[in-house]
Amino acid sequence: MTERAKVVVIGGGIAGCSTIYHLTQEGITDCILIERDELTSGTTWHSAAQVTNFGMNQTMVGLKSHSIALYKELSEDPEYPINYHHADGGIRLANTEEQMEGYRHFASMARGMGVEFEVIDAAECARRHPLLETDGLLGGLWDPMDGDIDPAQLCQALARRARNAGAKVIRHRPVTGLTQRKDDSWIVHTEKGDIEAEIVVNAGGYRCNEIGAMMGVSHPVASMEHQYFLTEPIKAIEEAGHRMPLIRCPISDYYSRQEKNGLLIGFYEQGCKTWGMDGIDPNFTNALSPDDPERVIETFEGAMARMPAIGEVGIHTIVNGPITYTIDGAPLVGPIPGKRNAFCITGLRAGLGEGGGHGWLLAQMIAHGEACYDTWCIDPRRFTGHATVELTALKAIEDYQNEFRFHFPHEHRPVGRPMKTTPLTAVLEAEGGHFGVVNGWERLEYVKPSADFEEEHSFRFTNAHDIIADEVRAVQSGVGLTEVSGFNRFEITGADAHDFLDRMTCGRLQRTEGRVGLSYLLNHQGMVKAEATVANLPGGRIWYGSAAASEYHDMDWLTQHIGVDEDVQIRSLTNDMTILVIAGPKARDVLAGAARGDWSNEGFKWLAVREAFVGIAPATVMRVSFSGELAYEIHVPNQSLRAAYDALRASGAAHGLRLFGSRAVESMRLEMGFMHWKAELLTEFTPYETSLDPFVKMEKDFVGKAALAAHEPKVKLVTLEIDSDMAPAHGGASVMLGGRVVGTVSSGDWGHRTGKNIAMAFVEKALASEGHAFDVDVIGQMLPAKVISGRIYEGAR
């Protein structure tokens, strides 16, 4: 007999158990969790199960806070209590001042989520953890809520609550196939019959790609072997009178927590090892890999040097099991790209500690279409076609080797590069180009002054500051050229294309051929979903352009809203074309010297678009500017990109043409008050809260209109001037007033044309008026700041 459910969750580890429990909390009780063996029989059962509040952004902190609160409630349930060592505290160690400043930033960021971290010195680290030696130690970050939990008990408690709410939990029932019907519902084939489902969730842990293959997708998830040791009892722990705080050490690549009266010590050794790359034994369940202590000797010695008591006792157990990683270390939680009614929650390398929050956010997405936080940092669509398992494995090794070493601003680690390049990448590199990575694409950040220049990464202004200032001056006073690789570009055609886009965007849609407009798309909650440049080309073709990272995200959103009777076709040109940008007062002269036609202000006005030839290269030219200077975007097919570049360089020679990069653009866009997708443009805020009022036309119908009309704005995006030349305010920094958090920085940088330290921030609406004064917590220093005009530089455009 065929079973039916609204949602079927495949996988019975922490990911699946958290998801089905939270689905019931969101009102979806018609759901089934199906597990091939016993609950927790994959990675979950052997997890070290540490529960920390630390996260690299506010979404991660928020979901971890939810996990902690949920786990504490479960542990106190009189009917089914579980073992949770709550609030033992934990220290992340540091031996450089740069690490300490990073911790101060993360403390500032977490404060905006109601989480209080403390940056402490080496002596205080030793006082709180008496097993620590402080040689070479500067201090650390104290998390008072750090602890650990019993993984099996946690999952059983979540499953029990889900069952009590009406959900089903089925064990020992392997899934053998997935079939999607024409109405986008699913048939889940199992060894014991089919289950019809409206929605499926892949919570398959290290088997996620076995499940993915059943629906024709591959997830960028790879597994690493991970070992931890359990020691015999340690006398100092027995005599301490309190539980030992947790330790995470980027100096010696280990962590430790108390286990009974000994320690559990885990290792992130440099000679690490991937797992399961050539397939996974179907019988690998409740199982481990063979012990391999030789591999972690060097790391273990570092741990003993920091905590000598370890060397005084024996090791009674070694655990070596697989844990999953993605390309950037954050999990995949959300819609599966290119599929409808399909979600995943996988790649949870720290699954137990944060799984409660991941399931919470995923359940909200399934039930409501969106979560309470912007979830881009965990969205599966943040990776696109380059995201193979092979690349993931290389990045997993790199991430594993740097487990407790956070990324500094503008730090792009080298493994897996270059992945996506254009015909100009090598050319720009030969000219001294320094590159960052955007959605796998190598993108020019700045031109190095010498071949041996290396940026010293820091949360302060770095030694690249003057290089970027020089590039900005070149653009402001003359003309600059840069490449924008990977820009997302869709060609939309069909008789209903304009009406479709008009419904999708909240403002006036530009419909005139030869003209360009800026549009914003909202979700069904009335929050900002996407930003797009809409260009109207000959033959009824519309180009939809958006951020490079949004390629899969925007395609899903658009295609899912095409009506069954609408004549609309969408074709991606993202990987076929690249943009060259020329900007500065002499930009028109350079373009006129490289391309036939009337490029005068009258002949080619602001927000115009035209097809032309740049040299011998066919191109689509738009007069738009992200810098505020006179500028042109030149969109060129990749096979002709070098020809267009050479023509512009030849024309620009007489005008002092200089190369500039994305870091200069970042400085200039802040001076103009222009926003970045997933910095300022978030699903947590409406266009009114994001200071996009001119782009909303309530007299028309659009997706999200009713919700927007009913929403009372609580915050406002403002531009701040910070009275300091020490450091920029990085995203997440807390805006303070009278000792209270009243806002959060979304992005910041130095404005080289205006000589101002600029930040954008969401602050309480009542405090958003120009001239209002605050303090901004920048790497632990309260710096004076005030609200200024959103546009502080008037360029020529």
Side-chain angles (χ1 to χ4, degrees):
M1 186 174 67
T2 300
E3 297 174 80
R4 292 175 176 83
K6 181 178 179 65
V7 183
V8 170
V9 180
I10 304 170
I14 180 59
C17 291
S18 177
T19 299
I20 197 166
Y21 163 72
H22 283 100
L23 283 169
T24 66
Q25 296 300 294
E26 296 297 330
I28 300 177
T29 57
D30 179 19
C31 49
I32 296 173
L33 184 150
I34 184 167
E35 162 57 40
R36 72 193 300 274
D37 200 89
E38 285 287 352
L39 298 184
T40 77
S41 60
T43 292
T44 299
W45 76 272
H46 62 74
S47 169
Q50 296 162 148
V51 183
T52 176
N53 237 337
F54 180 81
M56 298 295 289
N57 54 58
Q58 289 192 322
T59 295
M60 295 302 294
V61 172
L63 68 87
K64 291 183 179 189
S65 293
H66 174 83
S67 295
I68 290 171
L70 172 63
Y71 298 172
K72 188 170 189 297
E73 179 200 342
L74 290 171
S75 72
E76 295 171 349
D77 184 343
E79 295 182 4
Y80 196 86
I82 63 175
N83 293 324
Y84 176 29
H85 298 121
H86 173 258
D88 288 345
I91 310 171
R92 291 175 185 267
L93 303 179
N95 65 340
T96 69
E97 185 54 41
E98 289 77 15
Q99 289 171 311
M100 293 292 285
E101 288 183 342
Y103 289 157
R104 293 184 185 105
H105 165 70
F106 293 125
S108 174
M109 179 266 294
R111 190 179 301 118
M113 299 301 290
V115 172
E116 290 294 333
F117 292 148
E118 186 180 355
V119 180
I120 58 178
D121 62 20
E124 185 62 17
C125 290
R127 190 188 72 78
R128 299 187 187 190
H129 198 302
L131 301 186
L132 282 179
E133 289 289 335
T134 59
D135 289 349
L137 190 66
L138 283 184
L141 182 72
W142 172 260
D143 173 4
M145 293 293 105
D146 220 334
D148 68 271
I149 196 165
D150 185 298
Q153 289 182 357
L154 169 61
C155 291
Q156 293 291 351
L158 292 169
R160 172 181 175 273
R161 287 196 173 189
R163 287 191 197 95
N164 289 345
K168 292 183 180 179
V169 177
I170 303 173
R171 299 168 300 137
H172 303 288
R173 192 167 174 182
V175 172
T176 58
L178 293 166
T179 301
Q180 191 163 29
R181 292 167 157 169
K182 289 183 179 180
D183 65 356
D184 296 321
S185 67
W186 293 87
I187 303 174
V188 182
H189 306 286
T190 81
E191 292 181 351
K192 300 177 182 178
D194 293 344
I195 305 173
E196 296 179 351
E198 181 181 329
I199 295 166
V200 295
V201 177
N202 182 347
Y206 55 67
R207 294 189 185 274
C208 67
N209 273 318
E210 295 177 5
I211 299 167
M214 297 176 189
M215 61 175 69
V217 301
S218 176
H219 299 289
V221 175
S223 297
M224 301 292 297
E225 284 192 12
H226 177 61
Q227 292 187 99
Y228 62 77
F229 295 173
L230 298 172
T231 76
E232 301 290 352
I234 296 173
K235 185 177 181 180
I237 293 177
E238 294 175 327
E239 296 175 349
H242 61 83
R243 286 184 59 82
M244 290 290 112
L246 289 83
I247 294 293
R248 297 172 181 86
C249 180
I251 309 163
S252 299
D253 299 313
Y254 79 96
Y255 62 88
S256 74
R257 68 166 175 81
Q258 186 169 334
E259 178 69 14
K260 297 183 179 177
N261 283 324
L263 289 176
L264 181 155
I265 311 163
F267 310 99
Y268 290 96
E269 70 281 4
Q270 295 302 295
C272 54
K273 184 178 178 182
T274 57
W275 180 89
M277 290 293 292
D278 296 319
I280 303 169
D281 185 337
N283 298 315
F284 190 90
T285 182
N286 269 315
L288 295 170
S289 298
D291 296 347
D292 191 4
E294 296 293 324
R295 202 171 72 225
V296 301
I297 285 178
E298 184 178 351
T299 309
F300 187 44
E301 288 173 346
M304 286 193 292
R306 182 63 60 196
M307 303 170 68
I310 297 172
E312 299 171 4
V313 296
I315 303 300
H316 69 73
T317 302
I318 298 175
V319 173
N320 184 22
I323 57 175
T324 55
Y325 279 75
T326 66
I327 290 175
D328 61 3
L332 306 177
V333 181
I336 296 174
K339 294 291 179 181
R340 297 195 184 188
N341 294 343
F343 296 80
C344 62
I345 176 169
T346 189
L348 278 64
R349 69 172 180 186
L352 264 294
E354 56 197 38
H358 290 312
W360 173 55
L361 295 181
L362 180 59
Q364 292 177 51
M365 295 181 221
I366 293 171
H368 313 298
E370 210 76 70
C372 58
Y373 303 141
D374 189 292
T375 56
W376 182 244
C377 63
I378 56 175
D379 195 310
R381 297 166 298 187
R382 71 188 186 274
F383 303 122
T384 57
H386 66 291
T388 62
V389 174
E390 286 73 17
L391 174 63
T392 306
L394 291 176
K395 296 301 288 186
I397 292 169
E398 181 183 57
D399 210 26
Y400 189 97
Q401 293 169 334
N402 292 277
E403 178 71 24
F404 299 128
R405 286 183 279 278
F406 51 77
H407 281 76
F408 283 93
H410 306 297
E411 180 188 4
H412 300 274
R413 291 176 179 166
V415 170
R417 297 176 61 187
M419 188 66 204
K420 294 182 186 177
T421 61
T422 76
L424 290 184
T425 305
V427 176
L428 296 171
E429 187 175 23
E431 297 205 39
H434 172 83
F435 296 85
V437 181
V438 180
N439 190 26
W441 290 94
E442 296 290 321
R443 181 174 290 181
L444 180 69
E445 286 200 328
Y446 55 82
V447 178
K448 298 184 290 185
S450 62
D452 60 352
F453 175 83
E454 291 188 12
E455 185 171 2
E456 299 165 357
H457 292 295
S458 169
F459 281 84
R460 296 173 180 259
F461 292 115
T462 74
N463 56 334
H465 185 78
D466 291 343
I467 298 169
I468 296 160
D470 191 47
E471 291 183 358
V472 172
R473 280 192 294 270
V475 172
Q476 182 185 19
S477 62
V479 60
L481 168 66
T482 194
E483 177 194 55
V484 182
S485 56
F487 185 77
N488 185 48
R489 181 186 295 96
F490 301 149
E491 184 172 271
I492 305 178
T493 55
D496 299 317
H498 276 108
D499 290 342
F500 164 70
L501 282 175
D502 193 51
R503 186 178 79 249
M504 296 299 295
T505 57
C506 64
R508 173 179 171 269
L509 182 73
Q510 179 58 259
R511 292 173 178 253
T512 305
E513 185 176 309
R515 300 295 294 167
V516 179
L518 186 62
S519 297
Y520 291 90
L521 291 73
L522 310 186
N523 61 22
H524 294 282
Q525 289 74 31
M527 306 296 174
V528 178
K529 186 74 172 178
E531 177 189 60
T533 301
V534 177
N536 294 285
L537 303 179
R541 293 174 296 132
I542 303 168
W543 274 12
Y544 171 109
S546 57
S550 71
E551 180 185 354
Y552 282 5
H553 172 280
D554 285 12
M555 181 62 83
D556 276 357
W557 186 250
L558 292 171
T559 55
Q560 289 169 10
H561 284 83
I562 298 174
V564 292
D565 298 325
E566 283 187 300
D567 178 15
V568 177
Q569 297 82 42
I570 303 177
R571 179 169 68 105
S572 178
L573 303 175
T574 300
N575 298 305
D576 301 330
M577 305 188 76
T578 297
I579 301 173
L580 297 174
V581 173
I582 50 173
K586 298 180 181 179
R588 182 178 289 115
D589 297 330
V590 173
L591 181 58
R596 289 182 292 109
D598 181 3
W599 301 105
S600 67
N601 190 53
E602 295 74 23
F604 195 62
K605 297 185 178 189
W606 170 242
L607 296 179
V609 57
R610 174 191 300 171
E611 293 182 326
F613 282 86
V614 176
I616 60 172
T620 301
V621 183
M622 302 181 193
R623 188 175 161 192
V624 295
S625 175
F626 205 49
S627 64
E629 305 292 350
L630 172 66
Y632 302 90
E633 283 187 2
I634 303 168
H635 300 244
V636 186
N638 282 335
Q639 66 265 27
S640 303
L641 187 63
R642 177 64 188 269
Y645 176 80
D646 287 347
L648 292 169
R649 290 302 300 261
S651 176
H655 304 286
L657 178 72
R658 289 272 306 275
L659 292 175
F660 70 100
S662 61
R663 299 270 284 275
V665 175
E666 177 70 3
S667 169
M668 292 186 282
R669 72 98 182 169
L670 283 167
E671 292 175 315
M672 297 300 297
F674 295 154
M675 302 168 200
H676 260 174
W677 189 66
K678 296 310 176 186
E680 287 74 39
L681 303 172
L682 303 169
T683 58
E684 295 179 32
F685 305 111
T686 70
Y688 295 135
E689 293 174 316
T690 315
S691 296
L692 292 172
D693 308 46
F695 294 91
V696 180
K697 304 297 180 187
M698 291 299 288
E699 60 271 21
K700 59 170 271 191
D701 289 327
F702 55 85
V703 172
K705 177 180 177 179
L708 177 61
H711 185 273
E712 182 64 31
K714 300 178 180 63
V715 299
K716 192 77 170 177
L717 181 68
V718 300
T719 297
L720 300 176
E721 179 183 356
I722 300 173
D723 186 13
S724 174
D725 60 3
M726 176 265 299
H730 301 281
S734 288
V735 181
M736 309 291 294
L737 182 65
R740 183 173 66 91
V741 177
V742 296
T744 299
V745 168
S746 54
S747 57
D749 205 347
W750 187 263
H752 290 284
R753 294 175 296 192
T754 57
K756 297 181 184 295
N757 192 347
I758 308 167
M760 285 186 167
F762 288 93
V763 301
E764 294 176 5
K765 184 183 176 185
L767 306 176
S769 57
E770 199 167 326
H772 212 111
F774 306 96
D775 288 324
V776 180
D777 182 354
V778 178
I779 56 174
Q781 299 188 37
M782 294 295 178
L783 302 180
K786 64 179 180 181
V787 179
I788 59 175
S789 168
R791 179 165 296 177
I792 60 175
Y793 178 78
E794 289 299 329
R797 291 201 303 184

